[in-house]
Amino acid sequence: MTEWSWVAYTVLEVFIAVACFLGNVLVVCAVCVGIRDSLRKPTFCFLVSLAVADFLVGVAAVPLAVLLDGWVSVTPDLCLLLSCVVLVLTQASVLSLLAIAVDRYLRLHTPLRYKALATQRRTWMALSVCWTLSCLLGFTPLFGWHNYSSLASDSTNTSSSPSVISPPCTFLSVISLPFMVYFNFLGCVMAPLLVMTLLYTRIFWSLHGRLKESGPQAQASLLREKRLACSLALVLILFAGCWIPLHLMNCLLLFQGPQAVTQGTLYTGILLSHANSAVNPVVYACRIPKIQQAYSQIWQFVKLNCCHGDKQVCRSTTGSRANHTETCGSGGKTLTKDHSHFRSSMLEV
């Protein structure tokens, strides 16, 4: 890649990181503060989990992706650990999406038992399982499935000659392509995506049949359920559309070699995968009414505080001007009196 391409890639990564940070902080605030008893509802708990994972992508994964592109030289152990953090956050997003799909399926197909099944305690347990599994699956390379030996031998060779710089840390220098293709892509990404596809297919099929058979009152509730399901399915489709191209590039690199994918194409895939974490807050704002209302409440609160602050500044400025005018006026009177006294004294002389 040319120098301007590196600069453009870095600038876009910084923009995506800022968007991930601001957008997902807004989502967490909207759900936790703007929606009443939101954390008692499993769907919103899992949405917060997804937003936290997307927030961490902006805070940790994107900066690491830039640094682990040959910009830093660290020990092989640390390079492997930092590379695994990206895998953990990706897996947390996948499992949060899976938990949302399971929750919507249970709500629709077991409406009478749903409240008994989806208690707050079980919801928090499910979240704990999601993040624990994400750590176990994402840190799997630490247990042996990595390219550590090749990087370690390079670092040993360079350490023997002090004049030679140690090898830079890159993602594919420590994470093996067979792991990324067979374990991460097929086992940890594609398998959950297939399960989610089946669940949403069952959900929409069931909603379609119930809308035909139900009366006007029940249809309103079913239409709301369908709208929410469509919004969550859109989040899933965007995730698949943003991440699968990069995984397909890994497949080409594994089976056809480095010449199969150009550097520009690979970096475009990386940018697309990171951009997914910045797009989700926009989808929530456009598609989920409760989050729309929460966004508007936060905006009104910010406007009210800003206007209140501006009024206080104006009042304090006006008060200071009035005091200044009063002082100047009193000073003018004093000067006038002093001047008349001076004239009278001169006449007396």
Side-chain angles (χ1 to χ4, degrees), residues 245-267:
L246 182 60
H247 284 290
L248 292 178
M249 291 178 203
N250 287 333
C251 294
L252 290 175
L253 289 172
L254 176 63
F255 296 120
Q256 297 186 9
Q259 71 280 358
V261 181
T262 62
Q263 268 196 326
T265 306
L266 185 62
Y267 284 108

Side-chain angles (χ1 to χ4, degrees), residues 135-151:
C135 292
L136 290 175
L137 296 174
F139 286 126
T140 299
L142 294 176
F143 301 105
W145 200 349
H146 50 61
N147 288 335
Y148 176 88
S149 57
S150 59
L151 190 64

Side-chain angles (χ1 to χ4, degrees), residues 78-346:
L78 182 58
C79 183
L80 183 61
L81 178 64
L82 295 176
S83 299
C84 288
V85 172
V86 180
L87 300 176
V88 170
L89 297 179
T90 306
Q91 199 59 47
S93 297
V94 172
L95 294 180
S96 296
L97 288 169
L98 179 60
I100 291 170
V102 172
D103 173 68
R104 303 320 297 174
Y105 179 83
L106 291 175
R107 182 179 177 84
L108 190 65
H109 286 83
T110 58
L112 299 177
R113 297 181 56 210
Y114 176 76
K115 287 188 177 181
L117 290 172
T119 60
Q120 190 174 14
R121 179 171 171 271
R122 288 178 178 173
T123 300
W124 287 105
M125 284 179 61
L127 285 174
S128 301
V129 170
C130 286
W131 281 91
T132 303
L133 271 178
S134 300
C135 292
L136 290 175
L137 296 174
F139 286 126
T140 299
L142 294 176
F143 301 105
W145 200 349
H146 50 61
N147 288 335
Y148 176 88
S149 57
S150 59
L151 190 64
S153 62
D154 290 341
S155 62
T156 303
N157 294 332
T158 55
S159 62
S160 61
S161 54
S163 60
V164 181
I165 301 173
S166 59
C169 173
T170 61
F171 184 82
L172 291 180
S173 67
V174 288
I175 304 295
S176 69
L177 280 172
F179 167 82
M180 288 300 299
V181 172
Y182 297 121
F183 185 82
N184 187 261
F185 177 44
L186 296 179
C188 299
V189 175
M190 282 306 297
L193 284 178
L194 289 175
V195 173
M196 286 183 267
T197 303
L198 291 174
L199 288 174
Y200 278 112
T201 302
R202 289 288 305 274
I203 288 170
F204 287 120
W205 183 267
S206 178
L207 284 171
H208 182 71
R210 292 187 188 186
L211 282 169
K212 285 184 175 181
E213 299 172 358
S214 59
Q217 293 182 349
Q219 280 187 351
S221 176
L222 290 172
L223 286 172
R224 285 195 301 270
E225 185 70 28
K226 184 177 180 180
R227 179 180 175 81
L228 181 58
C230 288
S231 303
L232 298 174
L234 178 61
V235 173
L236 173 63
I237 292 168
L238 288 173
F239 179 87
C242 290
W243 277 98
I244 287 179
L246 182 60
H247 284 290
L248 292 178
M249 291 178 203
N250 287 333
C251 294
L252 290 175
L253 289 172
L254 176 63
F255 296 120
Q256 297 186 9
Q259 71 280 358
V261 181
T262 62
Q263 268 196 326
T265 306
L266 185 62
Y267 284 108
T268 302
I270 293 171
L271 285 171
L272 186 63
S273 66
H274 293 160
N276 175 248
S277 297
V279 169
N280 285 338
V282 180
V283 176
Y284 304 149
C286 296
R287 299 284 306 179
I288 301 178
K290 287 187 177 181
I291 294 183
Q292 287 177 357
Q293 295 170 6
Y295 280 174
S296 64
Q297 288 174 5
I298 292 173
W299 176 242
Q300 292 297 329
F301 178 76
V302 171
K303 282 176 63 178
L304 184 64
N305 282 345
C306 289
C307 293
H308 184 65
D310 291 341
K311 287 179 181 178
Q312 285 185 340
V313 171
C314 291
R315 286 174 183 172
S316 62
T317 306
T318 305
S320 64
R321 286 178 180 173
N323 292 333
H324 180 66
T325 305
E326 186 179 350
T327 304
C328 291
S330 61
K333 290 177 182 177
T334 306
L335 286 173
T336 304
K337 289 178 181 178
D338 291 341
H339 183 64
S340 60
H341 179 70
F342 176 74
R343 287 181 64 189
S344 62
S345 62
M346 288 294 290

